[in-house]
Amino acid sequence: MTMIVRTDIHNRLLQALDPEAFDMLHSGMERVELPLRTVLVESDQPTDHVFFLESGLASVVARTVDDEAIEVGHVGWEGLCGTHRLLRLETTPNRTFMQIEGHAIKIPVQLLYRLIEEDARSRDLFLHYIHTCELQLAHSALANGRYNMVERLSRWLLMCHDRIRHDDMALTHEFLSLMLGVRRSGVTDNLHILEGMRAIKATRGRILIRDRAKLEEIAGGCYGSPEKEYDRLIGSR
């Protein structure tokens, strides 16, 4: 197993830990590759590890008993998969899987529990992260209720861009449809609008961010507040 060095960590939560707290987790850290569609959290199944993503993009999906599904969150290098374990829950109805391949630092839950029991600063850090996730979900509901489709699409593209950190993103129409809870044809129509405004370039299975400032202008007030709260509580890039 390759030794994991603190200076080589590319996850914002792990970077924000005090050196002593990082050392407490170090013995259980394992860097793992996460191919497309890898399941990190299975619905209603016990979760033994949490995953601190360093690259790629994971989707958190809620699904009803009649098989309707929508993305309720996504995770990149800013966060971790398995937040229900921080709330002392073994399972969650939501499912988390990789929408874009990447890699992560995998840590046993019991080691994480030891850290948050013994170190108040680390416990506060992870509680602050849960707060930012809840705020992001609240603003998704706000966007769905008060903003039009092209504004909502711009917001989701900005959120993906924040987490993937590349202008050229492997985002399919199927994924965008799941994110927004609309038909693929609606996604296509609104991508064309953003292309016409020269904010993006859409090709088969990929979205190129051409003008991030334009996307932020289009998204308006439905993007930015949760991101500022994350930077305030956890640290800017």
Side-chain angles (χ1 to χ4, degrees), residues 163-177:
R163 288 157 177 78
I164 299 170
R165 295 178 293 162
H166 295 291
D167 291 342
D168 188 10
M169 304 185 293
L171 300 176
T172 66
H173 287 207
E174 177 186 8
F175 175 37
L176 295 172
S177 175

Side-chain angles (χ1 to χ4, degrees), residues 28 30 45 53 59 72 74-75 108 118 142 183 186 208 224 237:
E30 178 185 358
Q45 297 295 319
L53 265 62
S59 285
V72 294
H74 49 244
V75 182
E118 297 182 10
L142 175 63
R183 297 182 182 276
L208 175 67
R237 303 169 208 185

